[in-house]
Amino acid sequence: MWPKFYFNWLRKNSPTGSVEVYPEISDSYETNLPNVFVIGDLTGVPLLKMAAESGVQVWKYIPQLSNDHLDVVIIGSGPAGVSCAMEAKRLGKKYLVLESNLPFQTIQSYPNKKPIFAEPKNFITNSSIRIIDTVKEDLLKDLNKILNDNPIQIETNHRVVNIKKANVGYVLETESGSIFKTNAVVIAMGKSGDPKKLGIKGENEANVSYRLIDPKDTTGLSVVIVGGGDTAIESALLCAEFAKETTIIHRGKEFNKAKSDNIDLILELESQGKVNIIYESEVSEITSTSVLIKNQQSAKKIKADLVFIMIGTLPPIGFFKRVGIKLQNEKKVLDWVGLTGLVTFAMAAYFGKASFYGPSWFSFLASISAFVSTLSLICYSGILLAKKQTKFDLWKVLKICYFLFAFSYFLTVYFLSTYQQFHLFGKYPAFHYTFLYSLTILVFGIRRILVRKTQYIYYQTLTLIGVQVFFLFLLPELILPALGEFGYLGSENGFIRKEIFPSDSYWKAYGFILAWPLSMGVLYDGGITKFWLIYGLSFSFILIPLLVYHYGKGAYCGWICSCGGLAETLGDEYRQKMPHSKTAYKWEHSGQYILFLAATLTILKLIGVFGKSIYPNLELGENIADSVKWVYDIVVDIGLAGVVGVGFYFFYSGRVWCRMFCPLASLMHIYARFSQFRIFSDKKKCISCNICTKNCHQGIDVMGYASRGIAMDSVQCVRCSACVSLCPTDVLEFGKLKKEVIQYDKLEAKSRK
């Protein structure tokens, strides 16, 4: 096994948190069910002000249909649902709010005197509901006054249990048997699912609760609160005024997810002896009078008249599954069929374009893969049409048309070249694959610029398009061959045609951009010239280290590399699919093994090439390297970079190859260990919404850094800027740490919509 300390050194003790599961929604709040929308907390942003705003914004996407149905039924009457209803009333829509309890019930269940923070501070909402810094009781008073002054159509004690698709719109069924017909549905029930549980013995004891209503109920009692978030800390602050003793049990070393104001207050109470905090410990058993606490060193029992378990709540997963709303990263039959189609297409493409230079079985495998891919595409289309849930979306239509074009174009070119010896435009399939690759970056790059409106993304995407289209397509495939044909590259013995492109091998131009060991051919070449030896070594071991030192790994991965170019453009819509599981974190440095193998093969090759004239026996090392290199090409270049890297694009994000296997990325991980680049965070603004982590297609637990106020220095970061631009409270910012002095980037990465 690779030394464990080496991987720990690379990881720098990086946080490895997971992401919470929410409904999968588009930028227009729409779920996989047409005209069924989700707003409020269930979008993943736990802010009352943003929840109220989503109730207004969703009306931009709710269609206007003329029939006898309601225009919309709103499920839930929290700030989001009431805001949505008020906007419906203002617009003159036919609407109805269904509430399983009473308006603002979730806020009503907050502990008495719970502080309310109106974040983001500078955000101005268009909603009729105004949220200000206050406490629970005053907020409820203000909200109820707004509701009394502006009455809405609401029916309480109506719990929706099903949403059924009808010929027109939907039919909603409630627990009491009532039926409502509507053209659209807005789900604004909030994150009102079941509380998370510890799963330990005694959790069902009568002294265990999952929420605090009135802190006066703890008067004179010994109270234990399990958790380390704002809810747990705020409850402890309230209980400390009345309880005989208050103890917080937290499994972490510090309070990473809580607001800094709350942390300051609880630490002040601890210093006064009013609260006891036990870190790095977990409750293993609960009795009617005590709790058993364990840590790595010992176990002890403490008195507990009341136990409050406050480790969060789960979204109403059961409801979503029952009505057919897809959850984030949930894999269904359609997804597996799509995965099969894309993986087999990637096999057809990579083995197909390599078949003209490789063994004959490449062609057979490519042809079989093309056949399976076509069948999968037909099945995928059939399942999609059978669902009858597809809503017209111009971008989706254009995207599907483009994919069909690319799919049919390449397979046509491949089969004509393989079985009819007809090469379109006189070019082999590899040329056409590169053309499609470049066209894809161009098309989806334009889309990214139009959708992600920041300075950083604008210039980054233009650079990626320019590098790919010019340096990685036009130059090696068209410009250089044309210049050579017309004699503009000099004589055969000239420097250009002898040192840079020996034997008119214009494909070597890819080496200007694709460094070793991403492109092994830069240095692994039996006929390597002095130019490529010097350039290859300088590029990989001088230029790239300098770039990484000053700007992080993303200076290459996010601005230059063709793999990164496709990931940031085509993969932009799928960045949330990158897994954040423990297994994924274990796999993310697998490329170190590939890097070691690539280095070994290259060293053996170069020693053989330059040393066999002096010591003939050194040729043995070259022969061994060559015998292994063809396996490396199949497994790494075709299998992992091509089939896995492209095949899993819409399943596990476009950065699977970059994060897990790329040997050049693995080399840059070593360089990044010494980089000045950081993503700085303002801990006071962090609301632990997890949006930054969820949108990181490198699998970095960005929130783990931000919630602690630690500068993010993960070697995995590719400077895509998703975490910075999508943060709802502007917590994050690019910069450098130079001799303990922070220098923020001048190029704006934050969204200014």
Side-chain angles (χ1 to χ4, degrees):
M1 280 295 294
W2 205 278
K4 186 177 180 180
F5 75 87
Y6 174 65
F7 286 109
N8 291 336
W9 178 78
L10 282 176
R11 291 191 177 99
K12 295 184 176 181
N13 296 315
S14 301
T16 54
S18 59
V19 294
E20 293 185 322
V21 178
Y22 291 98
E24 187 174 280
I25 61 174
S26 66
D27 292 338
S28 59
Y29 304 100
E30 191 172 28
T31 68
N32 59 300
L33 302 181
N35 299 326
V36 175
F37 304 86
V38 169
I39 61 174
D41 278 0
L42 287 174
T43 63
V45 184
L47 293 172
L48 294 177
K49 190 183 288 188
M50 300 296 286
E53 179 65 13
S54 68
V56 174
Q57 295 301 322
V58 72
W59 275 103
K60 294 180 179 179
Y61 312 105
I62 298 175
Q64 176 63 52
L65 301 176
S66 298
N67 53 39
D68 58 351
H69 291 184
L70 291 166
D71 291 319
V72 68
V73 168
I74 303 164
I75 304 175
S77 61
V82 172
S83 176
C84 185
M86 288 183 171
E87 184 67 8
K89 181 179 179 181
R90 186 186 73 82
L91 295 172
K93 305 293 184 179
K94 295 182 293 181
Y95 73 95
L96 179 65
V97 179
L98 298 179
E99 168 58 55
S100 62
N101 207 304
L102 296 172
F104 309 117
Q105 181 62 36
T106 299
I107 297 175
Q108 181 66 53
S109 67
Y110 288 170
N112 294 340
K113 301 299 181 181
K114 172 182 169 64
I116 304 298
F117 300 97
E119 300 286 353
K121 297 297 184 185
N122 298 324
F123 180 77
I124 300 176
T125 179
N126 295 296
S127 172
S128 301
I129 293 179
R130 303 297 178 187
I131 306 295
I132 60 173
D133 287 347
T134 182
V135 294
K136 164 195 166 179
E137 289 77 5
D138 291 340
L139 174 63
L140 276 175
K141 182 178 179 181
D142 293 341
L143 292 176
N144 286 321
K145 183 178 187 306
I146 292 172
L147 203 54
N148 290 331
D149 294 343
N150 301 275
I152 57 175
Q153 298 294 323
I154 182 172
E155 294 197 19
T156 57
N157 298 312
H158 275 69
R159 181 183 297 276
V160 176
V161 295
N162 208 353
I163 301 173
K164 292 184 177 180
K165 187 77 175 72
N167 290 332
V168 177
Y170 294 90
V171 174
L172 274 64
E173 300 176 356
T174 67
E175 203 169 50
S176 61
S178 300
I179 300 294
F180 300 92
K181 295 181 179 180
T182 180
N183 293 320
V185 181
V186 173
I187 300 173
M189 63 175 64
K191 192 180 173 183
S192 55
D194 296 329
K196 291 181 181 178
K197 297 187 177 182
L198 296 173
I200 60 174
K201 183 179 179 181
E203 196 166 0
N204 295 323
E205 290 283 346
N207 63 331
V208 177
S209 181
Y210 296 92
R211 65 178 183 178
L212 172 68
I213 300 300
D214 192 342
K216 292 181 180 179
D217 295 337
T218 67
T219 301
L221 301 176
S222 296
V223 176
V224 169
I225 298 173
V226 183
D230 283 312
T231 302
I233 292 177
E234 289 167 2
S235 298
L237 291 171
L238 295 170
C239 290
E241 185 177 347
F242 303 96
K244 178 182 178 181
E245 55 183 349
T246 303
T247 302
I248 297 178
I249 301 173
H250 179 39
R251 64 182 180 180
K253 295 181 180 179
E254 55 187 6
F255 296 113
N256 298 320
K257 296 183 179 181
K259 296 182 179 67
S260 57
D261 290 346
N262 282 334
I263 295 174
D264 292 341
L265 289 171
I266 202 69
L267 293 179
E268 176 63 24
L269 287 185
E270 183 190 31
S271 67
Q272 297 172 8
K274 296 181 179 180
V275 172
N276 180 32
I277 304 175
I278 303 176
Y279 296 100
E280 297 184 86
S281 300
E282 296 183 357
V283 176
S284 58
E285 185 179 343
I286 301 174
T287 71
S288 59
T289 58
S290 64
V291 297
L292 182 64
I293 305 170
K294 289 184 177 181
N295 56 33
Q296 291 183 348
Q297 289 78 35
S298 62
K300 65 178 179 178
K301 183 179 290 187
I302 65 172
K303 184 173 176 56
D305 298 315
L306 290 176
V307 179
F308 294 100
I309 300 174
M310 297 178 167
I311 56 176
T313 58
L314 297 169
I317 302 297
F319 173 77
F320 293 129
K321 289 185 175 180
R322 185 167 61 251
V323 302
I325 291 176
K326 188 176 181 181
L327 301 174
Q328 290 173 344
N329 293 335
E330 181 183 23
K331 310 303 181 188
K332 295 189 175 182
V333 174
L334 190 66
D335 299 292
W336 290 105
V337 173
L339 174 66
T340 301
L342 192 58
V343 168
T344 49
F345 173 72
M347 291 179 67
Y350 276 82
F351 280 99
K353 69 190 184 76
S355 64
F356 293 87
Y357 320 103
S360 59
W361 62 269
F362 277 23
S363 294
F364 175 77
L365 181 59
S367 299
I368 293 297
S369 299
F371 177 73
V372 174
S373 182
T374 303
L375 287 181
S376 300
L377 177 62
I378 294 172
C379 291
Y380 187 91
S381 302
I383 295 173
L384 199 62
L385 292 173
K387 285 178 172 292
K388 296 181 180 178
Q389 294 178 344
T390 303
K391 179 182 177 181
F392 177 80
D393 182 292
L394 180 59
W395 168 241
K396 287 183 179 179
V397 171
L398 292 174
K399 184 166 58 175
I400 291 171
C401 289
Y402 178 81
F403 289 153
L404 289 174
F405 158 74
F407 179 85
S408 57
Y409 179 95
F410 182 80
L411 291 188
T412 299
V413 166
Y414 165 71
F415 280 113
L416 286 175
S417 294
T418 303
Y419 298 104
Q420 299 296 323
Q421 286 73 53
F422 175 78
H423 307 301
L424 186 63
F425 306 129
K427 301 290 186 180
Y428 285 109
F431 168 88
H432 298 283
Y433 180 85
T434 305
F435 162 70
L436 289 174
Y437 196 101
S438 303
L439 182 64
T440 300
I441 289 179
L442 174 62
V443 170
F444 287 85
I446 293 173
R447 178 258 172 200
R448 186 184 188 225
I449 289 173
L450 294 175
V451 173
R452 312 290 185 195
K453 299 178 180 179
T454 71
Q455 282 186 335
Y456 185 90
I457 286 176
Y458 176 78
Y459 289 110
Q460 181 201 34
T461 308
L462 284 181
T463 302
L464 288 169
I465 292 172
V467 169
Q468 177 62 42
V469 173
F470 182 78
F471 288 101
L472 296 175
F473 176 59
L474 294 178
L475 185 64
E477 299 291 346
L478 295 174
I479 296 175
L480 287 173
L483 291 176
E485 183 179 350
F486 290 109
Y488 293 127
L489 297 181
S491 65
E492 291 185 8
N493 295 320
F495 180 80
I496 293 178
R497 295 181 65 186
K498 184 178 180 181
E499 284 288 326
I500 304 179
F501 307 116
S503 302
D504 294 337
S505 50
Y506 302 120
W507 58 268
K508 286 183 176 289
Y510 286 105
F512 288 132
I513 300 297
L514 304 181
W516 180 93
L518 177 61
S519 177
M520 283 283 282
V522 175
L523 291 176
Y524 190 97
D525 186 353
I528 191 169
T529 63
K530 293 180 181 179
F531 170 83
W532 283 110
L533 180 64
I534 295 172
Y535 180 85
L537 292 173
S538 301
F539 193 12
S540 295
F541 300 104
I542 297 177
L543 179 59
I544 288 180
L546 286 173
L547 284 173
V548 174
Y549 176 73
H550 288 289
Y551 307 107
K553 187 183 78 171
Y556 183 88
C557 285
W559 282 73
I560 298 172
C561 182
S562 62
C563 305
L566 197 66
E568 296 303 334
T569 53
L570 175 63
D572 181 62
E573 296 178 83
Y574 310 97
R575 60 180 67 248
Q576 292 186 5
K577 293 183 178 293
M578 176 59 76
H580 291 75
S581 63
K582 291 182 179 179
T583 302
Y585 287 122
K586 288 181 180 178
W587 275 83
E588 68 177 2
H589 287 297
S590 301
Q592 294 295 326
Y593 296 102
I594 298 174
L595 172 62
F596 178 77
L597 178 59
T600 302
L601 294 177
T602 303
I603 291 170
L604 286 175
K605 183 69 172 181
L606 292 178
I607 290 176
V609 169
F610 292 103
K612 62 187 176 183
S613 61
I614 303 173
Y615 299 103
N617 289 338
L618 292 177
E619 187 175 9
L620 176 62
E622 182 181 4
N623 293 335
I624 293 174
D626 288 341
S627 65
V628 177
K629 176 63 163 54
W630 76 275
V631 178
Y632 179 95
D633 291 340
I634 294 174
V635 175
V636 178
D637 288 349
I638 297 178
L640 294 176
V643 177
V644 174
V646 175
F648 282 79
Y649 241 75
F650 311 126
F651 203 76
Y652 285 137
S653 142
R655 287 279 186 181
V656 171
W657 158 253
C658 307
R659 178 186 179 189
M660 306 289 185
F661 308 114
C662 177
L664 178 56
S666 298
L667 178 62
M668 288 190 286
H669 290 165
I670 301 172
Y671 301 154
R673 192 63 177 77
F674 308 97
S675 177
Q676 295 179 334
F677 170 71
R678 301 287 189 275
I679 299 181
F680 297 100
S681 59
D682 185 344
K683 178 178 170 59
K684 292 183 178 180
K685 292 183 178 180
C686 182
I687 58 173
S688 300
C689 63
N690 228 342
I691 288 178
C692 52
T693 296
K694 185 167 61 177
N695 284 280
C696 178
H697 56 180
Q698 283 291 114
I700 303 170
D701 180 17
V702 184
M703 191 191 80
Y705 290 95
S707 60
R708 294 170 171 84
I710 301 172
M712 202 281 283
D713 59 353
S714 171
V715 298
Q716 286 283 359
C717 182
V718 292
R719 289 186 69 117
C720 68
S721 81
C723 60
V724 179
S725 64
L726 295 174
C727 176
T729 53
D730 285 345
V731 173
L732 306 168
E733 192 166 354
F734 284 156
K736 294 180 181 180
L737 187 63
K738 302 179 70 172
K739 297 180 180 180
E740 303 303 319
V741 177
I742 297 175
Q743 294 183 359
Y744 292 107
D745 282 8
K746 294 181 180 180
L747 187 59
E748 185 64 74
K750 294 180 180 180
S751 177
R752 297 300 180 194
K753 293 182 181 179

